[in-house]
Amino acid sequence: FDYKRYLYLHNIYKTFTITGYDNIEIINRNNLGFAYQRIIYPARKFASDNIDEHIGGNEGAFLKGLVTGERADISKKTKEDFVKAGVMHIIAVSGLNVAYIILALTLILSLFRVPRTPKAIITLIILIFYCFFTGAPASIIRATVMGSLLLISGLMQRKTNFYNIIGISVLIILVYESKQLFDPGFILSFSAVLSMVIFYEKLDTVILQRIENSKSKFNRILYFVLSVIFVSFAAQIGTLPITSHYFEKISFISLAANAIVVPLSNLSLAIGFFQISA
């Protein structure tokens, strides 16, 4: 792992070490922009404090990783276990977070009969805020751009093509910061999405649709279970070569682990959003 290259890709060019808090003196608290100082960081602190107060421990640290993208409190052992099981991706803020936000805002604003255009504008603003709220990692930038493009295409009443959405998202991100092209998070995020689009569609056509059309009384349960497994499998087809290259590890239990962990993490994420908004 090339730590120097990793820091360079994240615009960090120098590091230094200070021993002991007594050697640190705060000389300025107002060097951030207004949005970060008055809105984003206070909101992030409120969310973290809320989770710490009502949940705490390893569970709270895990939930903060899901909701806010803050993974510093997750123990090293927990991270290592997640990597070994091939489920480290679940504590990265990504497309599911954006999907929950779009769904929740759509339902709430629809209850108040907000027209389509103002509804889309409000949702876009909240998505951009959440992107910065989580620290804007590659996965959430990708999900935010793709979600925004889908909202805009809906406003324009244009038929969406998922491959075009992915391509435009890549272009927008690389125009803004071309170094992202070499960032593992960027590569893994788009590889997983593209792989899911390509392979899940084929699995759905060959297997899932036949199960859905069958007359078995257990077809709904089987359809749901296989859908979860196939989503995970489709994503891993695209990401396995990349993860094996960067981390030099291949998890043989990841498919089974993801089939169990992903639905539970989705439920945890929904609970986390409810917790910080309650």
Side-chain angles (χ1 to χ4, degrees):
F1 180 72
D2 191 338
Y3 186 55
K4 181 179 180 180
R5 186 170 180 269
Y6 172 82
L7 293 178
Y8 171 75
L9 291 173
H10 290 79
N11 299 316
I12 300 172
Y13 306 102
K14 296 289 182 180
T15 63
F16 63 92
T17 303
I18 296 177
T19 304
Y21 289 108
D22 293 337
N23 299 323
I24 300 174
E25 178 185 356
I26 299 175
I27 59 176
N28 191 352
R29 294 180 181 270
N30 302 312
N31 58 335
L32 295 174
F34 175 82
Y36 273 99
Q37 187 170 326
R38 300 297 182 185
I39 301 174
I40 295 173
Y41 281 132
R44 189 181 176 96
K45 186 177 186 305
F46 170 81
S48 296
D49 291 346
N50 191 311
I51 293 173
D52 285 336
E53 180 182 353
H54 294 93
I55 300 174
N58 291 329
E59 295 82 3
F62 170 72
L63 199 57
K64 281 194 289 184
L66 283 179
V67 178
T68 70
E70 178 55 60
R71 295 187 287 179
D73 293 337
I74 300 176
S75 67
K76 183 178 179 181
K77 184 180 183 305
T78 301
K79 291 179 181 178
E80 289 176 351
D81 291 341
F82 274 47
V83 170
K84 290 176 182 177
V87 295
M88 187 64 181
H89 62 89
I90 68 171
I91 53 175
V93 287
S94 59
L96 186 63
N97 300 59
V98 170
Y100 273 146
I101 291 173
I102 293 175
L103 178 61
L105 288 173
T106 300
L107 290 174
I108 293 170
L109 296 175
S110 296
L111 288 175
F112 290 96
R113 300 182 181 278
V114 177
R116 176 185 292 183
T117 301
K119 186 194 300 183
I121 293 172
I122 293 171
T123 305
L124 285 171
I125 292 172
I126 298 298
L127 285 182
I128 294 171
F129 165 78
Y130 185 72
C131 179
F132 288 104
F133 172 84
T134 57
S139 57
I140 201 68
I141 293 175
R142 186 265 307 162
T144 300
V145 173
M146 291 181 66
S148 300
L149 290 173
L150 287 170
L151 287 170
I152 293 170
S153 64
L155 277 179
M156 299 174 64
Q157 298 183 355
R158 298 293 297 272
K159 185 178 180 180
T160 57
N161 181 294
F162 211 75
Y163 294 104
N164 288 344
I165 294 290
I166 294 174
I168 294 171
S169 301
V170 171
L171 182 62
I172 291 173
I173 294 171
L174 293 182
V175 166
Y176 175 73
E177 187 175 9
S178 59
K179 287 190 296 184
Q180 287 284 335
L181 182 62
F182 305 99
D183 182 78
F186 174 88
I187 298 170
L188 283 169
S189 181
F190 277 100
S191 297
V193 171
L194 194 58
S195 182
M196 281 191 288
V197 173
I198 295 172
F199 294 105
Y200 182 81
E201 183 179 355
K202 297 183 182 301
L203 292 169
D204 179 62
T205 302
V206 175
I207 300 175
L208 294 180
Q209 288 184 10
R210 293 182 180 180
I211 294 174
E212 189 177 23
N213 296 329
S214 70
K215 297 181 180 180
S216 173
K217 59 182 179 180
F218 299 108
N219 63 337
R220 290 186 179 180
I221 297 174
L222 183 61
Y223 181 88
F224 173 76
V225 172
L226 288 180
S227 294
V228 174
I229 293 174
F230 287 165
V231 167
S232 175
F233 178 65
Q236 288 182 61
I237 292 174
T239 59
L240 186 62
I242 301 167
T243 54
S244 61
H245 170 72
Y246 279 107
F247 305 110
E248 298 183 351
K249 289 182 180 180
I250 296 177
S251 175
F252 292 101
I253 65 167
S254 60
L255 184 60
N258 275 278
I260 299 171
V261 171
V262 169
L264 293 177
S265 68
N266 294 349
L267 178 61
S268 299
L269 178 59
I271 294 172
F273 274 125
F274 179 78
Q275 174 65 49
I276 65 174
S277 61

